[in-house]
Amino acid sequence: MAAQKINEAHEHIAKAEKCLKTSLTKWKPDFDSAASEYAKAAVCFKNAKQYDQAKDAYLKEAEYHTENKTLFHAAKAIEQAGMMMKEQKKMPEAIQYIEKACMMYMENGTPDTAAMALDRAGKLIEPINLEKAVDLYQKAAGVFENEDRLRQAVELLGKASRLLVRLRRLDEAAVALQKEKNMYKEIENFPMCFKKTTAQVLIHLHRGDYVAADKCVRESYSLPGYSGGSEDCIAMETLLQGYDEQDEDQVYRVCNSPLLKYMDNDYAKLAISLRVPGGGGKKKKAPAAPQGGASGAPAAADEEEDDYEGGLC
């Protein structure tokens, strides 16, 4: 089966070369037909799992589409060449081809296709190179933003922000989150603004910048529905109070409430690892037996903890 496909591929290449020849009666090479034959050859090589030869055929297809000034089809072929590299686990080379294809999509006037290809490239490289994935997601977001497609842009920015947190590039993550929040505000998705405020607070506290964290919450008071009793607002006010007063129990309760524990995983990890300055984590619970005759005290403490078991509010 593989040998048959390889033979078919070589037949298509022979036809392509014939299309490129000129004569007295044929003055110009037939680039369109040559590109088509190389595309067929590439598919045959791919089916035979000859990925290197398939890549070369796709690049030849792209070359002749470019000669024919059909840039969109040239870009598609280059992107396919990248996928052949992916099949060989050569991710850096795969990403290079996809980025080259994206530049051609832009040149062709199809930025949406470019942004989607950058997003796909980000997903491919993310398991092995988080830094490159951040770069690709941010580029894709920028393309969508330039096209006023903010919903797509903010989704990609969100991916980049989470990876920046994972990389512990918290200063950059804080900037990226503010941009996300501004976009969500622009498209009037206020519940997402609330979530981004929570993520901002966690990042700023991990950076040791209480003032910036407090400022994020205060600025969010202007968001419809945030102040005046929203679960998100009360949680952040309680968290900041506990952090400021070095109340480890209070910080622990907020950070382990469902509101924070069920955030995106990278932010949830920030929550459960947050410590107050000078503290060593959660304080030990009071012993069950009453001390000094204050028989009601432990029960009251238990009640207070129960209030937070299902999350704040």
Side-chain angles (χ1 to χ4, degrees), residues 73-188:
H73 294 298
K76 277 285 179 195
I78 291 172
E79 195 179 345
Q80 283 302 312
M83 297 313 286
M84 296 306 96
M85 291 291 94
K86 176 231 169 188
E87 291 294 339
Q88 297 178 79
K89 305 287 190 285
K90 296 178 180 177
M91 289 303 179
E93 293 93 331
I95 300 308
Q96 283 175 6
Y97 283 124
I98 295 172
E99 285 191 285
K100 185 177 178 183
C102 290
M103 289 171 67
M104 293 185 85
Y105 287 133
M106 295 293 288
E107 196 179 336
N108 183 63
T110 48
D112 284 8
T113 311
M116 288 187 282
L118 286 167
D119 181 20
R120 284 195 292 275
K123 287 173 188 167
L124 285 180
I125 203 74
E126 191 177 315
I128 58 169
N129 189 335
L130 292 179
E131 286 90 350
K132 186 61 182 174
V134 168
D135 177 54
L136 291 165
Y137 289 142
Q138 287 179 332
K139 281 180 180 172
V143 173
F144 276 131
E145 188 180 0
N146 288 339
E147 296 300 302
D148 285 329
R149 295 185 60 179
L150 295 188
R151 282 178 173 80
Q152 287 85 353
V154 77
E155 186 180 328
L156 287 158
L157 271 181
K159 290 183 181 183
S161 299
R162 291 192 290 274
L163 294 188
L164 286 169
V165 168
R166 206 176 301 172
L167 287 162
R168 302 301 294 182
R169 285 159 59 181
L170 298 184
D171 290 355
E172 292 170 74
V175 172
L177 268 166
Q178 185 60 49
K179 191 168 185 182
E180 271 188 80
K181 191 167 154 184
N182 292 342
M183 279 193 189
Y184 277 121
K185 190 175 179 181
E186 200 169 330
I187 60 177
E188 298 186 347

Side-chain angles (χ1 to χ4, degrees), residues 9-306:
H10 286 296
E11 285 171 18
H12 287 301
I13 289 171
K15 287 179 185 176
E17 287 170 352
K18 192 175 178 183
C19 293
L20 296 169
K21 286 180 180 173
T22 56
S23 64
L24 289 172
T25 56
K26 183 188 168 197
W27 292 4
K28 288 177 69 178
D30 183 356
F31 293 124
D32 188 41
S33 298
S36 177
E37 292 298 336
Y38 269 111
K40 291 171 185 172
V43 171
C44 290
F45 282 132
K46 183 168 76 171
N47 289 340
K49 295 187 172 14
Q50 301 299 304
Y51 299 120
D52 232 16
Q53 289 172 285
K55 175 207 70 175
D56 291 340
Y58 277 125
L59 292 177
K60 280 289 186 184
E61 179 197 352
E63 180 185 334
Y64 297 125
H65 278 310
T66 304
E67 289 282 359
N68 209 34
K69 294 183 171 54
T70 51
L71 287 184
F72 183 84
H73 294 298
K76 277 285 179 195
I78 291 172
E79 195 179 345
Q80 283 302 312
M83 297 313 286
M84 296 306 96
M85 291 291 94
K86 176 231 169 188
E87 291 294 339
Q88 297 178 79
K89 305 287 190 285
K90 296 178 180 177
M91 289 303 179
E93 293 93 331
I95 300 308
Q96 283 175 6
Y97 283 124
I98 295 172
E99 285 191 285
K100 185 177 178 183
C102 290
M103 289 171 67
M104 293 185 85
Y105 287 133
M106 295 293 288
E107 196 179 336
N108 183 63
T110 48
D112 284 8
T113 311
M116 288 187 282
L118 286 167
D119 181 20
R120 284 195 292 275
K123 287 173 188 167
L124 285 180
I125 203 74
E126 191 177 315
I128 58 169
N129 189 335
L130 292 179
E131 286 90 350
K132 186 61 182 174
V134 168
D135 177 54
L136 291 165
Y137 289 142
Q138 287 179 332
K139 281 180 180 172
V143 173
F144 276 131
E145 188 180 0
N146 288 339
E147 296 300 302
D148 285 329
R149 295 185 60 179
L150 295 188
R151 282 178 173 80
Q152 287 85 353
V154 77
E155 186 180 328
L156 287 158
L157 271 181
K159 290 183 181 183
S161 299
R162 291 192 290 274
L163 294 188
L164 286 169
V165 168
R166 206 176 301 172
L167 287 162
R168 302 301 294 182
R169 285 159 59 181
L170 298 184
D171 290 355
E172 292 170 74
V175 172
L177 268 166
Q178 185 60 49
K179 191 168 185 182
E180 271 188 80
K181 191 167 154 184
N182 292 342
M183 279 193 189
Y184 277 121
K185 190 175 179 181
E186 200 169 330
I187 60 177
E188 298 186 347
N189 186 339
F190 299 117
M192 283 304 291
C193 290
F194 300 174
K195 291 183 188 301
K196 297 304 163 186
T197 299
T198 300
Q200 281 180 307
V201 168
L202 291 170
I203 284 172
H204 287 312
L205 292 181
H206 270 275
R207 290 173 63 241
D209 193 342
Y210 175 87
V211 173
D214 186 55
K215 185 182 174 187
C216 283
V217 174
R218 291 182 185 283
E219 285 177 349
S220 294
Y221 289 159
S222 63
L223 296 170
Y226 188 73
S227 62
S230 76
E231 183 180 17
D232 305 79
C233 181
I234 292 172
M236 289 305 96
E237 287 175 339
T238 308
L239 176 60
L240 288 171
Q241 181 192 35
Y243 191 89
D244 189 39
E245 296 174 359
Q246 298 191 353
D247 185 334
E248 293 176 352
D249 281 339
Q250 186 162 313
V251 169
Y252 179 88
R253 282 198 300 271
V254 178
C255 287
N256 285 271
S257 67
L259 183 70
L260 274 67
K261 281 174 78 173
Y262 298 122
M263 294 177 77
D264 287 314
N265 199 38
D266 293 297
Y267 299 127
K269 285 180 179 177
L270 285 183
I272 60 174
S273 63
L274 184 65
R275 299 291 180 263
V276 299
K282 187 194 175 214
K283 288 179 182 173
K284 291 179 182 177
K285 287 185 181 179
Q291 291 181 358
S295 56
D302 286 345
E303 275 179 30
E304 186 185 346
E305 293 227 352
D306 286 345

